[in-house]
Amino acid sequence: MAGVEAIDKLTHQLSRLPGIGRKTAQRLAFHIVAQPEEDVRELAVTIFNAKKQVHVCPVCGNLTDREICSVCADPSRSRDTVCVVKDARDVNALERIRDYNGLYHVLGGVISPMDGVGPDDIRIRELMSRLAEGEIKEVVLATNPDVEGEATAAYISRLIKPMGIKVTRIAHGVPVGGELEYTDEITLMRAFQGRREL
Amino acid sequence: MAGVEAIDKLTHQLSRLPGIGRKTAQRLAFHIVAQPEEDVRELAVTIFNAKKQVHVCPVCGNLTDREICSVCADPSRSRDTVCVVKDARDVNALERIRDYNGLYHVLGGVISPMDGVGPDDIRIRELMSRLAEGEIKEVVLATNPDVEGEATAAYISRLIKPMGIKVTRIAHGVPVGGELEYTDEITLMRAFQGRREL
């Protein structure tokens, strides 16, 4: 601790952020008090405004500072495909590839009995309501390729298939630029099973 | 970018902090907007208050949120020794060892002709004024063991020695827990030169 109450308090607050340890928090605190007052005021105001303005899109669950998120509000997006993801960060990652032109559905989590998260704790019911409207022809399950993500995809798939809607899962395989030698066996097996004719 | 203006703005602000890259900034921004409003308000207020309340101690240059810093104000500290450091973070580091009981003098930088920092740009004049008062018997030069730190220590040493005040330099050597094999040659040489009889 720096022995200066205001710096110690700031260090403590910053160290509660994910990935920020005590040493980094203290370095940041010392940096912040050395900045011009105007810059620090702007940082504080930006933090508070982001929290005040950003909320969940009532249609898809993505984050937005408008009434409806920018994807749902975009008239050029194709409305017959919905990509199901765990959280808003995933929407962000997929939007960066600038390839997908459909809509999203953000679950706000994945089914994880270990953490006490069941199907009713994530936005599956909201997804089913959207599908019931009849406009959606394909659901792309893009939850993470881990145990919870796979289980959640399997669960949702079982719910949707009887409705006659096409359900797809993002491909698993060797990452581009990756090397077979260093790829784990399950990924390699998936890459092999998912092989395509050229 | 997340496509949400308030998050993008926050990401940009956070990425200006030292050691926080774009990806980390974005992760932090998403984390912040997911926190309860009260927690985010407290973070913002703590940041702004730290900047408003913390200033340089008029005696030694350390950071404080009181009139005079906690070291200068402590009547139990020995007033005949002054440890000269580059910045307030160094005071912090030295205070953690709980071994030193004298005062400090924070230079607020080191002499670095490459960066256009000369002796008049750091608090050397203030140090000389303190020494002129006659109470100080020893000056411990604890600037970093790098080129600028060594040059600054040498410069200050030359100024003080004619005043008949004892000038010492912190020891250089192999770090505790370090291995000779992986210690650079200059450090090893200093460790050898600084050997003590047991």
Side-chain angles (χ1 to χ4, degrees):
Chain A
M1 290 286 107
V4 182
E5 211 182 300
I7 296 183
D8 289 347
K9 206 175 156 189
L10 179 54
T11 301
H12 174 72
Q13 283 281 328
L14 294 172
S15 69
R16 292 171 57 188
L17 295 171
I20 307 285
R22 201 191 57 83
K23 279 207 165 180
T24 305
Q26 194 166 71
R27 190 161 45 82
L28 291 175
F30 274 109
H31 171 85
I32 286 169
V33 299
Q35 296 310 297
E37 182 164 328
E38 208 30 69
D39 290 9
V40 177
R41 182 198 300 271
E42 202 187 329
L43 173 63
V45 167
T46 306
I47 286 172
F48 187 61
N49 279 351
K51 174 60 200 174
K52 260 203 121 160
Q53 292 165 5
V54 175
H55 56 94
V56 162
C57 171
V59 179
C60 74
N62 190 11
L63 291 177
T64 181
D65 49 9
R66 310 280 169 79
E67 202 184 331
I68 279 173
C69 85
S70 56
V71 175
C72 288
D74 183 348
S76 75
R77 308 283 299 216
S78 147
R79 267 145 222 285
D80 56 7
T81 311
V82 163
C83 176
V84 175
V85 293
K86 181 187 176 189
D87 60 37
R89 268 166 288 196
D90 301 325
V91 172
N92 196 26
L94 287 164
E95 284 298 285
R96 270 204 300 273
I97 62 178
R98 293 168 191 280
D99 187 48
Y100 175 64
N101 193 40
L103 303 177
Y104 290 97
H105 189 82
V106 178
L107 294 172
V110 280
I111 298 170
S112 173
M114 294 278 282
D115 302 312
V117 182
D120 293 342
D121 300 315
I122 60 176
R123 300 178 73 255
I124 291 179
R125 203 180 303 112
E126 288 84 345
L127 174 64
M128 299 316 286
S129 304
R130 288 178 78 183
L131 298 180
E133 287 167 20
E135 216 183 343
I136 295 160
K137 304 280 175 274
E138 178 180 350
V139 175
V140 183
L141 299 170
T143 50
N144 290 328
D146 53 20
V147 176
E148 291 85 5
E150 294 292 357
T152 305
Y155 181 90
I156 294 174
S157 170
R158 274 197 301 274
L159 286 182
I160 299 175
K161 271 190 175 162
M163 300 169 79
I165 295 171
K166 185 176 170 188
V167 183
T168 56
R169 179 86 175 107
I170 50 164
H172 297 317
V174 182
V176 178
E179 293 187 48
L180 287 196
E181 190 181 347
Y182 301 117
T183 305
D184 68 281
E185 284 133 49
I186 297 174
T187 302
L188 213 52
M189 189 181 75
R190 297 288 183 86
F192 198 80
Q193 287 169 346
R195 66 193 182 278
R196 291 206 232 170
E197 204 175 307
L198 294 176
Chain B
M1 290 288 108
V4 182
E5 211 182 301
I7 296 184
D8 289 347
K9 207 176 156 190
L10 178 54
T11 301
H12 174 71
Q13 283 280 329
L14 294 173
S15 69
R16 292 171 57 190
L17 295 171
I20 307 285
R22 200 190 58 82
K23 279 207 164 180
T24 304
Q26 194 166 72
R27 190 161 44 82
L28 290 175
F30 274 110
H31 171 85
I32 286 169
V33 299
Q35 296 311 297
E37 182 165 328
E38 207 31 68
D39 290 9
V40 178
R41 183 199 299 271
E42 201 187 329
L43 173 63
V45 167
T46 306
I47 288 173
F48 187 61
N49 279 350
K51 174 60 199 173
K52 260 202 121 161
Q53 292 165 5
V54 175
H55 57 92
V56 163
C57 171
V59 179
C60 74
N62 189 11
L63 291 177
T64 182
D65 49 8
R66 310 282 168 80
E67 202 184 331
I68 281 174
C69 86
S70 56
V71 176
C72 288
D74 183 349
S76 75
R77 308 284 298 216
S78 147
R79 269 148 218 284
D80 55 8
T81 311
V82 164
C83 176
V84 176
V85 293
K86 182 186 176 190
D87 60 37
R89 266 166 290 196
D90 301 325
V91 172
N92 196 27
L94 287 165
E95 283 299 284
R96 270 204 300 272
I97 62 177
R98 292 168 192 277
D99 187 47
Y100 175 65
N101 192 41
L103 303 177
Y104 290 97
H105 189 82
V106 178
L107 294 172
V110 279
I111 299 171
S112 173
M114 293 278 283
D115 302 312
V117 181
D120 293 341
D121 300 315
I122 59 177
R123 301 177 74 253
I124 291 180
R125 203 181 303 112
E126 288 83 346
L127 174 63
M128 299 317 284
S129 304
R130 288 179 77 183
L131 298 181
E133 287 168 18
E135 216 182 345
I136 295 159
K137 304 280 175 275
E138 178 178 350
V139 175
V140 183
L141 298 171
T143 50
N144 290 330
D146 53 19
V147 175
E148 290 85 4
E150 294 291 356
T152 305
Y155 180 90
I156 295 174
S157 169
R158 275 197 302 274
L159 285 182
I160 299 175
K161 272 193 174 160
M163 300 170 79
I165 295 171
K166 187 176 169 189
V167 184
T168 55
R169 180 86 175 107
I170 51 163
H172 298 316
V174 182
V176 177
E179 294 187 46
L180 287 197
E181 190 180 347
Y182 301 117
T183 305
D184 67 282
E185 287 134 46
I186 297 174
T187 302
L188 214 50
M189 189 183 76
R190 296 287 184 88
F192 200 79
Q193 287 169 347
R195 67 192 181 279
R196 291 206 231 171
E197 204 175 307
L198 294 175

